[in-house]
Amino acid sequence: MENTSTMEIKVGIMGYGNLGRGVECALKNAPDMRLAAVFTRRSPENMKILTPGVGVYRAEEAEGMTDALDVLILCGGSATDLPVQTPKYARLFNAVDSFDTHARIPAHFAAVDAAAREGGKTALISCGWDPGMFSVNRLYAGSVLPDGKDYTFWGKGVSQGHSDAIRRIDGVLNARQYTVPIESALEAARSGKNPSLTVREKHKRECFVVAEEGADRARIEREIKTMPNYFDEYDTIVHFITEEELKRDHGGIPHGGFVIRTGKTGKNGENSHVIEYSLKLDSNPEFTSSVLVACARAVHRLNAEGNVGCKTLFDVPPAYLSPLSAEVLRRTLL
Amino acid sequence: MENTSTMEIKVGIMGYGNLGRGVECALKNAPDMRLAAVFTRRSPENMKILTPGVGVYRAEEAEGMTDALDVLILCGGSATDLPVQTPKYARLFNAVDSFDTHARIPAHFAAVDAAAREGGKTALISCGWDPGMFSVNRLYAGSVLPDGKDYTFWGKGVSQGHSDAIRRIDGVLNARQYTVPIESALEAARSGKNPSLTVREKHKRECFVVAEEGADRARIEREIKTMPNYFDEYDTIVHFITEEELKRDHGGIPHGGFVIRTGKTGKNGENSHVIEYSLKLDSNPEFTSSVLVACARAVHRLNAEGNVGCKTLFDVPPAYLSPLSAEVLRRTLL
């Protein structure tokens, strides 16, 4: 592949953690894109990236490199990084992020939209799987079956937030928490009977905990199970294991889930339908990165058409995510 | 609901069979649309429709009613009706169809595109579930996981074409054929091992046949199982039943299927992912009708924006299928 073609979309990565490295890997499978720069808050001198010949820069240098990039992919976290970074850089670059704090999306959208319009740029926010591919599936399903009901289940997968919460308990050295959808609730959702499912009925929480030697395990287990917001509304299972077992059996970051919509059609709603979308992911950050890269392609095209401001996947024609031409897509995928 | 609001999208139905009746029912769940006219090749005088106060007209009258409709939904068949009707009416109306002969989509697209551009109208073709919702899912999944493989399975569901083929056999009074995906093939597709699956391994065919009294059932069964293109490449099961049993147990038109993509990510493709989309439909035509109605909303909006010519669901931002505002969609579904 010719790496210097001016036709290729030049992509920058802001933040080189799990997500940033995933974007770098995903770009290798994008024939129409290439990695042009990586920005980091660490010391660029001490950082090695996977792609030969690509420069690593201090985050502050990005502002001076607007001509070197077509799209900047923001790979920070939703808690503190993205609320600042995406509005900041959306004024200077076409930008993509995976902002995933659902309740704060309207405020984030407004801030990014104002910045992008000011700079004549296009931004695409919340491009992961939830929000992201799950949201798109909720939208299609609800539009096709308006007389119906949605259910979203998450897991089986690692929740970083819940794992962190356990690690903050006195006497805990390390922990891994899995969110697990409950099979009977999945079946009830698919049944079309529109059941009302409580938080406890939909998911359970399974925790693998490494405790300090001599720590009071009964207390730790009690503190986990009664922790407000995180665990008290769920049935929670706690396993104590060694650090070696944790490393060996729980080193991955798998995740996934289900979006199910059931709905009725006909003269008197006599026919039922079930639409189900599911993901089973070995690596949560790498799948999110793969969505980000497809979205970078779309944002570049939207901006080339003069469609500026903040967008979400709801606003993007699906064809814009693909490197294939409209004619090839119609012939091979329709 | 105010039925005379000029804000409502006025929809016409061309063809009042299973699909047309399904569109009529689906429109009742669309707060922003109303049925304005039904066109038929039968005698309008002898036809009763479900919606009070809506006129039924001869198909030829449509051409004189361009001002009365915002969108015309074409509810004919793909074999002979739509190849003529969609290009004909796409010059006069914003139009939607469910053309589903995959191999002929490029030719159909070209004919409809020329007509729509000539008339300054917008058309959306192949709006059902395959082509349609399945196609969109193949596109999203392939864009996000380019290093992967697609599998589409159909059923369990009634194939009208295969049922008709059995009915043409000497001694057969009636028949119903179900296409059934084979569970072991579904599991192999989900495994991520990229198996190559033969036609016989993916689906089996199950036939319920009403034979004439005294007919040679062994010959009928043999003729079914060896029928070229329809059955000879499949494992086929034949059951002989009575007309009463057929009516009682096989009167519905269920269908559905699965779109599965597995793909790899990471430095060396070390992580696997499975994306699965499935439909389980009580009524194939009513679900297709529900897609057509959502697409009529989109085509009206595309035309209002000056985006003329022929489109497919690949070209439509998902938000255009929904009656909800972009702001409400972001807040509630993202």
Side-chain angles (χ1 to χ4, degrees), chain B residues 65-81:
Chain B
M65 293 174 63
T66 51
D67 289 344
L69 302 177
D70 294 310
V71 186
L72 182 64
I73 302 182
L74 298 157
C75 297
S78 295
T80 56
D81 298 332

Side-chain angles (χ1 to χ4, degrees), chain A residues 11-294:
Chain A
V11 177
I13 293 173
M14 175 65 67
Y16 197 68
N18 282 336
L19 216 50
R21 278 191 298 273
V23 166
E24 184 182 20
C25 293
L27 283 170
K28 291 189 298 179
N29 287 319
D32 54 338
M33 310 171 90
R34 70 176 171 90
L35 180 61
V38 171
F39 301 95
T40 176
R41 283 179 297 203
R42 289 174 277 172
S43 307
E45 307 76 43
N46 305 328
M47 255 184 56
K48 262 187 112 92
I49 65 169
L50 300 169
T51 315
V54 170
V56 182
Y57 306 88
R58 286 181 298 113
E60 305 79 59
E61 294 179 85
E63 294 166 62
M65 292 174 65
T66 51
D67 289 344
L69 301 177
D70 295 310
V71 185
L72 183 63
I73 302 182
L74 299 158
C75 297
S78 295
T80 56
D81 298 332
L82 298 177
V84 176
Q85 289 180 351
T86 316
K88 175 177 176 180
Y89 292 111
R91 200 172 52 79
L92 303 166
F93 298 95
N94 297 316
V96 180
D97 81 14
S98 62
F99 185 78
D100 67 359
T101 313
H102 289 262
R104 292 195 205 139
I105 285 174
H108 189 60
F109 182 92
V112 175
D113 192 50
R117 287 183 190 282
E118 195 189 315
K121 300 294 179 184
T122 309
L124 197 47
I125 61 162
S126 302
C127 304
W129 57 274
D130 196 359
M133 301 313 298
F134 271 21
S135 322
V136 162
N137 273 279
R138 285 187 287 259
L139 174 51
Y140 277 114
S143 300
V144 170
L145 293 178
D147 180 15
K149 189 165 175 176
D150 271 348
Y151 297 87
T152 300
F153 292 85
W154 298 274
K156 182 181 176 179
V158 172
S159 165
Q160 216 58 61
H162 288 81
S163 301
D164 290 345
I166 298 171
R167 276 191 287 265
R168 285 192 293 265
I169 292 173
D170 199 44
V172 170
L173 292 172
N174 207 343
R176 200 65 137 188
Q177 193 270 180
Y178 295 93
T179 306
V180 185
I182 295 173
E183 190 58 43
S184 58
L186 281 167
E187 284 309 316
R190 291 177 185 126
S191 73
K193 290 173 189 152
N194 292 0
S196 290
L197 299 166
T198 63
V199 162
R200 190 180 300 274
E201 285 168 333
K202 284 184 73 185
H203 298 93
K204 62 184 173 189
R205 301 201 171 277
E206 191 164 14
C207 314
F208 294 86
V209 180
V210 182
E212 280 173 16
E213 218 183 298
D216 181 350
R217 292 182 171 196
R219 174 193 50 84
I220 290 172
E221 181 164 343
R222 196 168 55 239
E223 283 193 37
I224 294 172
K225 290 184 172 178
T226 58
M227 196 186 296
N229 303 318
Y230 285 88
F231 293 99
D232 62 340
E233 288 186 80
Y234 299 86
D235 287 335
T236 300
I237 303 158
V238 177
H239 309 276
F240 287 95
I241 60 174
T242 66
E243 183 72 29
E244 291 66 42
E245 287 168 325
L246 191 88
K247 290 264 181 300
R248 186 191 67 206
D249 303 331
H250 306 282
I253 319 174
H255 221 310
F258 303 80
V259 173
I260 298 169
R261 187 173 182 92
T262 59
K264 295 184 179 306
T265 64
K267 202 172 158 184
N268 300 302
E270 62 273 24
N271 287 311
S272 288
H273 310 276
V274 185
I275 303 174
E276 179 165 339
Y277 179 80
S278 69
L279 294 173
K280 199 160 168 243
L281 313 175
D282 270 3
S283 165
N284 184 355
E286 285 183 10
F287 188 81
T288 299
S289 300
S290 299
V291 179
L292 284 167
V293 167

